[in-house]
């Protein structure tokens, strides 16, 4: 995004490649896809994903099967209504597409894991573990839930003697479940047609989604004792194997067990499912974004999208400040703080809502209770798909775009068709109510943009 407006930057990636295969898939909602379309990335995403008209199916508590009776899937309806479906894509493929679309690839540096940040008189200096140093006007920490930049931000505030963060701010991070993220070759008993399957059991639930190249993305989520901050456990392959063995006979469909899915695995990772929206995302010339600022439960499917949205809002806010200042004048620390304060103010409520939605979904689906059985077995088959559709449409309409870039034609066309078909029911809203950034990288940006005309 910064490249589009001639804003100088350096992106420091801690891994040895741009798209390391970490986790499994990433879900992209219409609100995020619309922004990626502005950047010219959507066509390649669509080509990579293929048919994303996932048919909704469920194995309810007790084993009864449910298939969405509607001829059109939610994703088809979303495309007709706002131009974009929901898609799932390999995380590394999504990152590679973003990188391929970047013109200034030399500004992306790998094997640059940040270990320290220091403020200087007119900027910041970042130190990496290989001994390199980089300077800029500000630092954006988009380095994940265990962010080194966030830790440095807390350290600096503590050394400055200012009580702007809690004594143990990481304690706000909480965990109530663990998840195996997996990619498998499609088991023979699973349909080759695009599928989104939820399966619910006494002490766990599954999400199974069709993937390109005759593969399957899947998630096994189970409850854990509630833990906070540094007490949240890390898991080993031995822990994963123990969990797998307890669930091998779970019948995900009448033809497929979890054993079938796991036997065809290509990669798996067991992690604690952490979530939280931190109350403060920035200090002086440092701001955190994405999972470093607000980690969302994967059941809400909003993590990557809130990341993309915050990137857009940060870009918009920065551009407004660039336009307002004298061309050769540098940003002061007060200027930077003002920009960061505006970004968080615009995003915070939306981030909190996303975190709360994920927690609610986890509490309802992760184990069988009277409440969860009533919701999953009776309410959701009748109203769930319509509820999902309306939620994503509203989120997209109210979501941010990148200012000063054209609104994508496919979105304008879809909205126009709906407005013509349903006069009086459509209100064209642009409101910048955003959320966060979440690529595993650290963005060091020096604001040297020419003043926009």
């Amino acid at each position: 995004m910064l490249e589009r407006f001639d804003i100088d930057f350096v992106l420091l990636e801690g891994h040895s490649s741009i798209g390391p295969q970490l986790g499994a898939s990433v879900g992209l909602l219409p609100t995020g896809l619309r922004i990626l379309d502005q950047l010219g990335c959507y066509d390649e995403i669509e080509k990579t994903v293929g048919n994303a008209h996932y048919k909704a199916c469920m194995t309810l508590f007790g084993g009864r099967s449910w298939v969405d009776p509607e001829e059109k899937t939610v994703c088809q309806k979303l495309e007709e209504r706002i131009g974009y479906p929901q898609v799932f894509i390999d995380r590394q493929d999504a990152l590679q597409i973003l990188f391929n679309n970047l013109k200034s690839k030399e500004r992306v540096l790998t094997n640059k894991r940040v270990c320290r940040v220091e403020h200087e008189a007119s900027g910041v200096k970042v130190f990496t573990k290989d001994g390199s140093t980089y300077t800029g006007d500000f630092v954006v920490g988009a380095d994940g839930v265990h962010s080194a930049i966030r830790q440095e931000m807390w350290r600096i505030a503590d050394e400055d003697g200012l009580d702007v963060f809690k004594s143990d701010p990481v304690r706000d991070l909480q965990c109530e479940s663990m998840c195996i993220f997996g990619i498998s070759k499609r088991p023979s008993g699973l349909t080759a047609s695009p599928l989104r399957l939820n399966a619910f059991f006494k002490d766990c639930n599954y999400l199974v989604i069709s993937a390109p190249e005759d593969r399957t993305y899947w998630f096994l989520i189970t409850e854990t004792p509630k833990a906070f901050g540094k007490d949240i456990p890390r898991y080993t392959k031995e822990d994963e194997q123990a969990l797998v063995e307890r669930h091998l006979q779970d019948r995900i469909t009448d033809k497929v067990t979890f054993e079938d899915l796991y036997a065809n695995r290509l990669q798996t990772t067991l992690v604690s499912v952490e979530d939280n929206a931190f109350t403060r995302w920035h200090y002086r010339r440092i701001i955190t974004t994405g999972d470093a600022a607000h980690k969302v439960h994967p059941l809400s499917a909003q993590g990557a999208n809130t990341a993309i949205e915050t990137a857009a809002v940060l870009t918009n806010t920065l551009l407004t400040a660039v336009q307002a200042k004298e061309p050769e004048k540098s940003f002061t620390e007060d200027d930077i703080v003002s920009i960061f304060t505006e970004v968080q103010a615009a995003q915070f409520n939306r981030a909190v809502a996303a975190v709360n939605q994920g927690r609610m979904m986890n509490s309802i689906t992760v184990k069988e209770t009277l409440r969860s059985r009533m919701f999953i077995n009776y309410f959701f088959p009748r109203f769930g798909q319509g509820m999902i559709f309306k939620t994503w449409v509203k989120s997209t309409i109210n979501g941010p775009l990148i200012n000063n870039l054209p609104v994508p034609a496919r979105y304008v066309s879809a909205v126009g068709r709906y407005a013509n078909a349903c006069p009086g029911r459509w209100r064209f809203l642009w409101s910048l109510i955003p959320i966060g950034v979440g690529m595993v990288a650290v963005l060091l940006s020096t604001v040297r943009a020419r003043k926009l005309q």
Side-chain angles (χ1 to χ4, degrees), residues 117-303:
V117 179
E118 292 182 358
H119 281 85
E120 298 183 321
S122 59
V124 283
K125 180 179 287 187
V126 169
F127 300 79
T128 59
K129 288 187 176 181
D130 67 353
S132 303
T133 60
Y134 303 88
T135 58
D137 287 334
F138 61 86
V139 176
V140 180
D143 51 339
V145 65
H146 303 294
S147 169
I149 296 298
R150 187 182 64 212
Q151 192 63 44
E152 283 297 281
M153 180 178 71
W154 291 341
R155 176 189 63 79
I156 292 168
D158 185 60
E159 291 178 357
D160 287 347
L162 296 180
D163 189 22
V164 294
F165 297 104
K166 296 180 180 179
S167 59
D168 184 16
V170 77
R171 188 74 183 169
D172 288 339
L173 200 63
Q174 76 170 47
C175 171
E176 296 183 89
S177 58
M178 58 181 172
C179 176
I180 303 179
F181 297 89
I183 301 178
S184 294
K185 293 181 291 184
R186 180 180 60 84
S188 59
L190 207 60
T191 178
S193 302
L195 172 78
R196 176 180 174 135
L197 168 69
N198 294 91
F200 302 94
F201 294 86
K202 183 177 180 179
D203 59 351
C204 70
N205 71 69
Y206 295 85
L207 174 60
V208 180
I209 306 155
S210 300
E213 301 175 359
D214 204 31
R215 297 173 303 145
T216 302
Y217 303 129
W218 56 269
F219 308 76
L220 164 58
I221 302 173
T222 187
E223 187 180 40
T224 61
K226 195 169 187 176
F228 298 90
K230 297 175 183 177
D231 296 329
I232 295 174
R234 303 286 186 94
Y235 295 109
T236 65
K237 277 297 179 182
E238 289 73 23
D239 295 323
E240 177 184 315
Q241 191 59 41
L243 178 60
V244 165
E245 289 176 0
R246 294 200 299 270
H247 292 279
L248 285 174
Q249 300 311 309
D250 289 349
R251 188 159 290 281
I252 299 172
T253 74
D254 57 353
K255 296 181 180 179
V256 178
T257 64
F258 177 55
E259 185 173 13
D260 298 325
L261 201 59
Y262 195 74
N264 283 278
R265 68 191 181 278
L266 299 172
Q267 65 180 72
T268 58
T269 304
L270 172 62
V271 298
S272 291
V273 180
E274 300 142 311
D275 60 28
N276 180 54
F278 289 95
T279 56
R280 180 165 179 148
W281 304 347
H282 62 91
Y283 179 69
R284 295 181 64 180
R285 291 178 180 267
I286 301 172
I287 187 169
T288 57
T289 58
D291 286 357
H294 42 80
K295 176 66 171 66
V296 181
H297 197 293
L299 281 175
S300 73
Q302 295 190 61

Side-chain angles (χ1 to χ4, degrees), residues 321 325 329-341:
K325 77 177 183 68
K329 185 178 179 181
S330 298
F331 281 131
T332 66
E333 187 169 298
D334 287 344
D335 294 332
I336 298 297
V337 170
S338 178
I339 291 169
F340 292 166
T341 300

